[in-house]
């Protein structure tokens, strides 16, 4: 049986301050509907911060410091997990990763907020 693979896009995205960013994470070899998804961010200094957990029951748990600006969804037709960040701020810049199964990670999306 093949292990699941997560493909993230875009790899690099420049976003204007106050605009919205949409990151995609495509799951191969498993169903997005049967899997809890996690999103996290790494910023300069290397600290990994968990943003949210999106359970297979469609319950979204936001971690400390992350507000409703960070929204998670899943699209079973395209096998995607989607992270939408509204009203982007310079402090949101960083590398965003998706994760499933606790051990499978995407390659990351670098978000740069231009003011």
């Amino acid at each position: 049986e093949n292990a699941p693979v997560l493909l993230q896009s875009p790899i690099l995205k420049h976003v204007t301050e106050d605009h919205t960013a949409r990151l995609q994470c495509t799951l191969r070899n498993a169903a997005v509907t049967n899997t809890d998804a996690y999103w996290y961010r790494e910023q300069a200094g290397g600290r990994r911060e968990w943003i949210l957990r999106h359970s297979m029951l469609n319950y979204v748990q936001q971690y400390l410091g992350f507000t409703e600006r960070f929204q998670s969804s899943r699209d079973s037709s395209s096998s995607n997990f989607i992270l939408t960040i509204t009203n982007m701020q310079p402090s949101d810049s960083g590398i965003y990763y998706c994760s499933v199964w606790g051990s499978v990670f995407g390659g990351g999306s670098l978000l740069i907020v231009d003011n």
Side-chain angles (χ1 to χ4, degrees):
E1 181 171 318
N2 291 330
V5 176
L6 293 170
L7 305 171
Q8 287 188 244
S9 62
I11 293 170
L12 170 64
K13 186 174 183 67
H14 282 265
V15 189
T16 305
E17 189 171 354
D18 297 328
H19 286 218
T20 295
R22 189 171 179 274
L23 303 178
Q24 289 195 150
C25 181
T26 306
L27 179 63
R28 299 267 182 259
N29 302 331
V32 292
T33 45
N34 304 347
T35 313
D36 286 5
Y38 294 82
W39 286 93
Y40 65 96
R41 177 176 73 194
E42 281 182 12
Q43 293 179 308
R47 219 160 58 81
R48 179 181 293 184
E49 305 172 281
W50 294 100
I51 300 169
L52 55 80
R53 173 175 75 97
H54 191 158
S55 79
M56 64 182 88
L57 302 174
N58 258 350
Y59 169 76
V60 176
Q61 172 194 7
Q62 255 130 350
Y63 287 88
L64 198 63
F66 290 94
T67 66
E68 296 297 310
R69 294 194 301 112
F70 295 83
Q71 297 284 344
S72 176
S73 56
R74 48 162 63 82
D75 178 1
S76 53
S77 64
S78 58
S79 200
N80 276 334
F81 298 111
I82 299 149
L83 180 69
T84 303
I85 310 168
T86 55
N87 189 27
M88 290 282 303
Q89 300 303 306
S91 59
D92 296 329
S93 294
I95 305 172
Y96 287 76
Y97 293 93
C98 58
S99 171
V100 296
W101 292 21
S103 58
V104 178
F105 296 92
S109 291
L110 174 57
L111 266 186
I112 299 170
V113 181
D114 302 313
N115 46 12

